[in-house]
Amino acid sequence: MNPLAPTLLLVHSPLVGPLTWELTAAHLRREGQRVVVPSLTAVVEEGPPYYRRFAEAAARALDMDGSHGAVVLVGHSGAGALLPAVAEVVGTDVHGAVFVDALLPHPGNSWFDTAPVQLREQVAGLARAGRLPRWHDWLPSDVLDTLVSDVGLRERFIAELPTMPVAYFEEPAPNAPGWPASRCAYVRLSEAYAGAADEAERQGWWVHRENADHLALLTQPARIAGVIARAVAVVADT
């Protein structure tokens, strides 16, 4: 392991669990990368402010690992919106960030503010007593079966899914003045995030478009680990 290489902080979406990253993390470690995968699944039970609490949980995972020196944040899906807050808590050690099929930062706006109208109405309609069902229940019944065909792996993935308070989706993302917007890369895995990848490219980020799917980091970890390593090398050298 290169002692000068950055630690990779792999942040999962609040809607899923750390298993989403753990198999890819194992491949990255075998390639000599230092990797930390925080678990954010219980954070919402602490109440608002959610973004700050997610960021603090991610930073604690770094501290518990004993990681020192440069850090590259890597966020998947909904974790993309969290990365500026994570960078703010972790501080000057953050060297850059990689967004993997992820939302782009939206400081000052909530998830509901930025979501397409149809998706926003769909999600709001699922709420019961201020909570949303687990993420796989948002989808048609066969979608997750297709994305994660291995039954055992799919059951482990589902077991980690939290129910989410609607208040999380209503909370504006905080401003993060120290956010390293010039040291970012974007990895698009699915067509659903083509627009985000295009916007990242317009902002001058390094962008890689992989012909995969949204959960490829769970089902094709060796392949995605290779792509992540390339993206990290780009932002670490900037």
Side-chain angles (χ1 to χ4, degrees):
M1 184 179 296
N2 181 355
L4 299 179
T7 297
L8 311 186
L9 183 63
L10 307 186
V11 186
H12 66 82
S13 167
L15 304 186
V16 298
L19 177 65
T20 316
W21 269 125
E22 283 169 354
L23 302 182
T24 293
H27 282 277
L28 288 165
R29 291 186 184 107
R30 284 197 285 272
E31 294 300 318
Q33 303 274 10
R34 183 163 191 164
V35 181
V36 175
V37 182
S39 176
L40 307 181
T41 52
V43 171
V44 291
E45 303 309 324
E46 301 172 17
Y50 297 107
Y51 284 80
R52 181 73 181 186
R53 293 195 189 279
F54 284 128
E56 289 170 346
R60 282 196 301 271
L62 273 178
D63 290 341
M64 291 175 64
D65 183 73
S67 297
H68 301 284
V71 176
V72 171
L73 309 180
V74 185
H76 174 247
S77 193
L82 305 178
L83 293 192
V86 176
E88 197 73 7
V89 175
V90 172
T92 56
D93 288 339
V94 174
H95 197 91
V98 178
F99 293 73
V100 182
D101 234 33
L103 299 180
L104 295 176
H106 48 77
N109 292 304
S110 70
W111 185 93
F112 277 135
D113 291 332
T114 59
V117 173
Q118 184 176 358
L119 178 59
R120 184 167 67 239
E121 291 176 350
Q122 176 198 356
V123 170
L126 294 171
R128 297 292 182 273
R131 306 283 292 202
L132 288 166
R134 295 185 296 172
W135 177 69
H136 75 298
D137 290 325
W138 300 17
L139 309 172
S141 59
D142 61 339
V143 170
L144 190 59
D145 293 356
T146 301
L147 289 173
V148 188
S149 59
D150 182 283
V151 175
L153 184 61
R154 186 167 68 246
E155 289 177 348
R156 289 168 59 201
F157 174 77
I158 291 172
E160 289 189 340
L161 301 181
T163 62
M164 295 292 293
V166 174
Y168 163 69
F169 299 89
E170 297 172 334
E171 181 179 289
N175 291 311
W179 171 241
S182 63
R183 290 177 280 143
C184 296
Y186 198 98
V187 175
R188 193 224 71 186
L189 301 179
S190 68
E191 282 298 324
Y193 287 83
D198 292 345
E199 177 57 30
E201 199 163 50
R202 283 192 288 271
Q203 293 184 29
W205 298 4
W206 181 87
V207 174
H208 174 80
R209 295 170 174 85
E210 188 77 3
N211 185 23
D213 62 68
H214 191 56
L215 294 181
L217 61 168
L218 176 66
T219 59
Q220 303 176 63
R223 173 185 178 186
I224 302 307
V227 176
I228 298 300
R230 287 177 58 197
V232 167
V234 170
V235 299
D237 288 343
T238 301

